[in-house]
Amino acid sequence: MSICDAFTGAIGQTPLIRLPRLSEESGCEILGKAEFMNPGGSVKDRAALAIIQAAERSGALRPGGTVVEGTAGNTGIGLAHICNARGYRCVIVIPETQSGEKIDLLRTLGAEVHTVPAAPYRDPGNYQRVAGRMADEMDNAIWANQFDNTANRHGHYATTGAEIWRQTGGQVDAFVAATGTGGTLAGVSRALKERSAAVRTYLADPSGSALYHYVRQGEPAATAGSSITEGIGSSRITANLQDTDIDDAFCIPDTESVPMVYRLLREEGLFLGSSSGVNVCGALRAARALGPGHTVVTVLCDGGGRYYARLYNPGWLAERGLA
Ligand code: PMP
């Protein structure tokens, strides 16, 4: 069958791309799941679809309804596309610190976008909490709640994880991913470990996030510094990440992930966003930990076109000592 049904039918079944330079260099097979090839342009199309399908199944979302979400960008983009394709209204709450490209794209896609000042999760003005309240006040509306709605990780368990197992013919030793909601890492970890207890899973965390210490010591605590990466890193353990068996974590500073993004472009021909740089750095660390001869899979989360103003702006990088 070479015809898929509608926008949503084109989500998933992404290629698993071998990265030849990095594979040769590490002595391992370094494979990237090409999530930037999803029709909405990122790994978050899968979460958006899984959340909407679960809400339709439960009856929480009925025809003509509204999907509200607080999102740093890619989930909102996926939701906006799916809402158009299925006749729902899409309302997005986004911190004003997020990249202008993402905000512009959401508005172009027809989402109603509300920007709010960045605030910590405990603050009632936090973008996720604002989204939850807005959905509560509307009729026939859901709060997608990607961080704590485990339909997210279940979607990755049923699709991303199963695809990786099938595409590698079960010859996969490790999976590495940075975490925003935790949906990707938690879902794929479950899917792979269920099929083989020998599969090792690793969390790649940008500087300033609390998840590295959570995996290594059991308690979240921020690492030193900060990061220009978007959509990854967290100060809290979401319901999606909770109870996930993760073998180890790596803390990846921008001084490592930003050069990797440029290597992926110039040596592998892949134009990707910052989280993909963190993921591939994590895959190389896993390869080093395991030794030559292993197969390490990671995620190429989104494309570089969303990051012209920052990651692909040499002046902006130079101001941050990352040129
Ligand atoms: N990379 C990018 C670019 C993202 O937008 C996200 C999601 N916020 C992630 C990685 C992390 O994915 P997850 O939410 O499944 O942990």
Side-chain angles (χ1 to χ4, degrees):
M1 279 284 286
S2 57
I3 296 170
C4 57
D5 189 33
F7 178 91
T8 50
I11 295 173
Q13 303 293 353
T14 54
L16 188 58
I17 302 177
R18 179 173 182 269
L19 306 181
R21 305 291 174 289
L22 297 169
S23 295
E24 278 154 32
E25 194 176 290
S26 64
C28 285
E29 292 291 287
I30 307 292
L31 309 179
K33 187 79 168 136
E35 293 303 293
F36 64 92
M37 292 176 71
N38 278 304
S42 86
V43 65
K44 300 305 302 205
D45 286 6
R46 295 188 192 253
L49 179 59
I51 287 167
I52 287 181
Q53 284 175 330
E56 288 172 342
R57 270 197 303 271
S58 74
L61 185 63
R62 301 180 301 282
T66 301
V67 178
V68 187
E69 181 59 323
T71 166
N74 281 326
T75 305
I77 290 166
L79 288 171
H81 279 287
I82 297 168
C83 284
N84 285 340
R86 297 210 176 189
Y88 300 122
R89 179 173 158 234
C90 183
V91 175
I92 298 297
V93 185
I94 187 170
E96 57 201 13
T97 48
Q98 290 302 305
S99 79
E101 290 102 318
K102 286 180 183 169
I103 295 172
D104 289 347
L105 177 55
L106 283 169
R107 293 210 162 110
T108 301
L109 294 176
E112 193 180 304
V113 182
H114 299 259
T115 58
V116 295
Y121 186 72
R122 63 179 178 277
D123 189 316
N126 173 273
Y127 65 107
Q128 294 162 52
R129 294 183 180 259
V130 172
R133 282 199 304 277
M134 286 176 81
D136 273 351
E137 288 160 11
M138 291 175 195
D139 202 35
N140 188 14
I142 61 153
W143 174 32
N145 190 14
Q146 59 168 330
F147 290 88
D148 296 311
N149 179 346
T150 54
N152 171 359
R153 80 175 177 204
H154 185 76
H156 284 287
Y157 166 83
T159 70
T160 326
E163 288 170 30
I164 290 169
W165 183 262
R166 204 169 339 108
Q167 286 169 306
T168 57
Q171 300 300 303
V172 50
D173 298 296
F175 177 75
V176 185
T179 280
T181 64
T184 309
L185 181 63
V188 173
S189 289
R190 277 174 175 70
L192 296 180
K193 283 176 179 278
E194 181 183 279
R195 289 165 172 86
S196 164
V199 174
R200 298 183 68 78
T201 57
Y202 299 91
L203 192 155
D205 212 27
S207 298
S209 168
L211 302 175
Y212 171 80
H213 286 307
Y214 167 69
V215 172
R216 299 213 112 198
Q217 294 158 14
E219 287 297 326
T223 47
S226 61
S227 175
I228 67 155
T229 56
E230 293 179 37
I232 56 172
S234 181
S235 58
R236 74 179 178 98
I237 310 311
T238 62
N240 277 295
L241 192 61
Q242 201 100 55
D243 309 318
T244 299
D245 180 9
I246 304 165
D247 293 288
D248 205 352
F250 309 113
C251 177
I252 312 286
D254 290 349
T255 49
E256 200 176 322
S257 58
V258 172
M260 179 57 78
V261 167
Y262 281 84
R263 280 195 72 187
L264 288 165
L265 177 58
R266 290 177 186 149
E267 297 176 25
E268 306 282 9
L270 293 161
F271 182 42
L272 302 168
S274 49
S275 67
S276 301
V278 171
N279 279 351
V280 173
C281 287
L284 287 183
R285 298 247 201 135
R288 216 174 299 145
L290 295 169
H294 293 91
T295 297
V296 182
V297 176
T298 192
V299 185
L300 310 176
C301 307
D302 66 354
R306 283 172 192 172
Y307 303 90
Y308 285 118
R310 300 183 184 191
L311 182 61
Y312 289 101
N313 175 347
W316 191 88
L317 287 181
E319 283 166 22
R320 284 152 188 83
L322 294 167

